[in-house]
Amino acid sequence: MKSCLKLSWMALALCCCLIFPSYSYGQLSLPKVFGDNMVLQRDIAIPVWGKAAPGATVVAQLGAAHASAQADGEGKWILRFPKLKAGGPYELTVSEKGKTATSVKFSGILIGDVWLASGQSNMEWQVQQAKDAQKEIANANHPQIRFIIVKQDKQLSPQSDISSGSWKVCDASSVKELSAVAYYFSRKIQQDQQVPIGIIQSTWGGTPAEAWTSKEKLAKWPVMKDKMAAVDTLTPNDFVQDSLNNIRFWEMVNQPQANADKILTQPAYADADWDKLNAPGQFKHESGDGIIWLRKKITLPASFAGKPLKVNAGHPEMTYSLYINGKEICKNVWNAAPVHTFDIPAGVVQAGENNISIRLAVLWGSGGLNGPAEDLYITDGTTKVSLAGTWLFKRGAEPAMAVIRNFQYSPTLLFNAMIHPLIPYAIKGAIWYQGESNTYMAYDYRTLFPMLIADWRERWQQGNFPFLFVQLANFQKRKEEPSESDWAELREAQTFTLSQPNTGMACTIDIGDGNNIHPANKQEVGRRLALLADKQVYKQNVVAAGPLYKGFKKTGNTITIDFDNATTGLITQDGKAVTGFAIAGKDGHFHWAQATIKGRQVVVQSAEVPDPVAVRYAWADNPACNLANAEGLPAVPFRTDQWKGITQH
């Protein structure tokens, strides 16, 4: 997935040069996951750990509870308080016996349920970036919800402490940067269960699951052999150089080089040798990330001359600047604009021929001017002049981009820095939203994802704690005919993971955005995760998931599908005929099918397939599908066949 890597000079200097201390007094210290206003897990022996003088006796008090431990020869110690019920606030005091003057003290502590929220950018996506942000932020007064955001970090070996992070009380000031999914999940759980909720957010956009898995676990899997070997060659100097390259990279993304904006935007510039692109459309950058310049001559009516106008750039991806007749009209940094309509000052355009130029950052291999075509235009409010059609474009008009290796995508490095230091902080369970960056290896995700879950559970030593995750939403251009899909195969791998104990999956196939890999409706994602927790963890009598494929039966030219999670019946979300089903015969060629709801079953058939053997539902990157249960929760995408997919090598 496309990760937002906007590091400033100041941020990098802090990252590279500062060492963030643990909470320490003399030789006594606790990791930074402990702090004022934290939430500690109820109904479990609460672990607290840190370092002290070798052999020292460490004594601690939490409310009225007492615990003690002896530091080992390296000064490491761990103690456990007895199980406590939800409540607070409490104080935690830790000291070396006989040295109370150097004690560590935390206040404002609540006892409740702690959830670890992890994954890539759809879990990282902040409240202030998501749907109804201003309204949600203004109403975010939830003192019973606390959270800590683990600073993004990567390390070559498992760390004993996170690089930075502090607990915050959820309010209108603090909630802005919290994961939107984690916030809406915690809000519903707190309201439903009436206990304090703590969120430990450990996320990094664009990262694959193997980055969050331990070296010991991955080393046993041949699929990761080459990637693990590459990690073994890394040194801290590689990280430093990549950080410097990262600064230069973003400078080049955000600022035109070699006066390109002064030269290439001029109407008289000679562009006859430029390549052609049909817009809307995308192209892949042949040599990796880079800057693409686009130009187009447009003829505007005389009525436009001298007037203030508006330009709609459609849905360009990432960072771009738009110029008309050499004048910069807009600059969008990292999809900052919620809509891509901008004012053209009076006097910029003239009657007749005008030039429009776009500087577009093509990152992570692809980019372009996304449709629909009707969203590309210039208008005076009455008349529209389309910008769709043929554009000229040029690669290499600016110097080649600095190469960044994004080591956070490498196996184990995020586990080392952002998961291992959290263990064994007691948790209720984990919520996870990730997979976009593993679609290219969707078949192997069948192994990788359960491996990650098992890895975390083994290390936390809390048994099979609840692990709730989000299935990939619909995304990308919708295809007119049934086709293969790596996104569908990744969703299938996620569904298969439900065979692991105490797991739950929130299907989001109906609330994605074909034009945005980060759909805005995080409220519903959080709600669906919370429904799973209400049912599976808190044992409430609720319907928590949509229809799940159970089996099929062939009768003549029809196939009848049975579902679990359909006791309340099946419906369509829009009240129209069922869509999203495809059917195939032995030739493996799928055709759109007629599907009819029969109670808790769906009967599928097509006149083009007289002898069907397989059915697929919502099997696409961005399927048109509408099957749900009576509660409106969507049916999980599935296929009845086991034919080799496009990611099975």
Side-chain angles (χ1 to χ4, degrees), residues 13 22 40 97 168 171 278 302 318 406 479 489 497 602:
S22 301
L40 297 173
K97 190 173 182 179
K168 298 180 180 180
D171 58 27
N278 192 53
M318 301 302 163
N406 290 321
K479 296 181 180 179
E489 291 181 22
T497 304
V602 173

Side-chain angles (χ1 to χ4, degrees), residues 113-120 123 179 181-182 184-186 188-189 193 197 199 427-434 445 449 452-454 456-457 464-472 494-495 497-498 500-508 525-539 542 544-545:
D113 286 344
V114 180
W115 288 86
L116 172 61
S118 189
Q120 57 182 113
M123 182 63 85
S179 156
V181 169
Y184 298 124
F185 168 83
S186 62
K188 178 169 171 55
I189 293 298
Q193 305 305 320
I197 299 295
I199 294 292
I427 59 174
K428 186 69 172 181
I431 56 174
W432 174 262
Y433 194 163
Q434 189 276 336
Y445 201 78
F449 189 25
L452 177 147
I453 296 171
W456 290 13
R457 286 172 169 173
N464 293 326
F465 60 73
F467 199 104
L468 312 177
F469 57 93
V470 181
Q471 191 181 47
L472 293 189
Q494 291 174 313
T495 303
T497 304
L498 292 174
Q500 303 301 306
N502 209 10
T503 54
M505 182 178 74
C507 178
T508 59
V525 179
R527 187 186 79 89
R528 291 180 187 180
L529 282 172
L531 283 174
L532 293 170
D534 283 341
K535 184 177 181 65
Q536 295 180 213
V537 182
Y538 300 106
K539 308 305 179 183
V542 296

Side-chain angles (χ1 to χ4, degrees), residues 281-414:
Q282 286 208 347
F283 48 83
K284 292 185 177 181
H285 195 279
E286 296 173 344
S287 58
D289 301 332
I291 300 299
I292 303 294
W293 275 91
L294 301 99
R295 287 169 55 92
K296 184 178 180 66
K297 293 179 180 178
I298 52 172
T299 300
L300 299 177
S303 59
F304 278 28
K307 287 185 178 179
L309 308 171
K310 290 187 180 295
V311 58
N312 194 320
H315 302 277
E317 196 171 1
M318 301 302 163
T319 299
Y320 66 92
S321 297
L322 185 147
Y323 308 79
I324 295 180
N325 295 334
K327 180 178 178 59
E328 183 178 280
I329 301 301
C330 68
K331 183 174 184 177
N332 182 64
V333 177
W334 191 261
N335 276 340
V339 295
H340 298 272
T341 302
F342 304 97
D343 292 327
I344 303 174
V348 171
V349 307
Q350 59 191 14
E353 188 174 274
N354 294 262
N355 176 268
I356 183 167
S357 305
I358 296 177
R359 181 184 188 267
L360 181 70
V362 178
L363 308 181
W364 300 280
S366 64
L369 300 178
N370 300 317
E374 53 266 27
D375 284 353
L376 288 163
Y377 61 83
I378 290 178
T379 182
D380 64 353
T382 303
T383 303
K384 289 184 179 180
V385 176
S386 176
L387 299 179
T390 301
W391 284 68
L392 301 177
F393 77 91
K394 185 176 182 63
R395 312 174 194 269
E398 297 187 33
M401 302 291 288
V403 176
I404 50 175
R405 297 175 64 185
N406 290 321
F407 291 117
Q408 69 271 20
Y409 302 157
S410 300
T412 79
L413 299 188
L414 300 190

Side-chain angles (χ1 to χ4, degrees), residues 191-261:
Q191 292 170 347
D192 292 347
Q193 305 305 320
Q194 292 297 300
V195 297
I197 299 295
I199 294 292
I200 302 176
Q201 179 183 331
S202 186
T203 56
W204 197 325
T207 54
E210 60 266 27
W212 299 96
T213 310
S214 74
K215 178 178 181 179
E216 290 77 9
K217 184 66 75 171
L218 291 175
K220 301 174 183 178
W221 191 31
V223 170
M224 283 290 146
K225 180 179 178 180
D226 291 343
K227 288 186 177 181
M228 295 297 292
V231 169
D232 288 341
T233 67
L234 297 178
T235 70
N237 286 338
D238 292 314
F239 290 176
V240 172
Q241 185 58 55
D242 208 48
S243 295
L244 295 174
N245 288 349
N246 186 63
I247 291 177
R248 179 59 179 153
F249 177 90
W250 285 103
E251 284 180 345
M252 298 178 79
V253 166
N254 295 322
Q255 185 64 39
Q257 305 293 303
N259 291 318
D261 56 327

Side-chain angles (χ1 to χ4, degrees), residues 573-594:
Q573 291 174 311
D574 55 8
K576 299 179 181 179
V578 181
T579 59
F581 281 89
I583 195 168
K586 293 180 181 179
D587 62 358
H589 183 65
F590 281 88
H591 301 265
W592 293 126
Q594 177 186 349

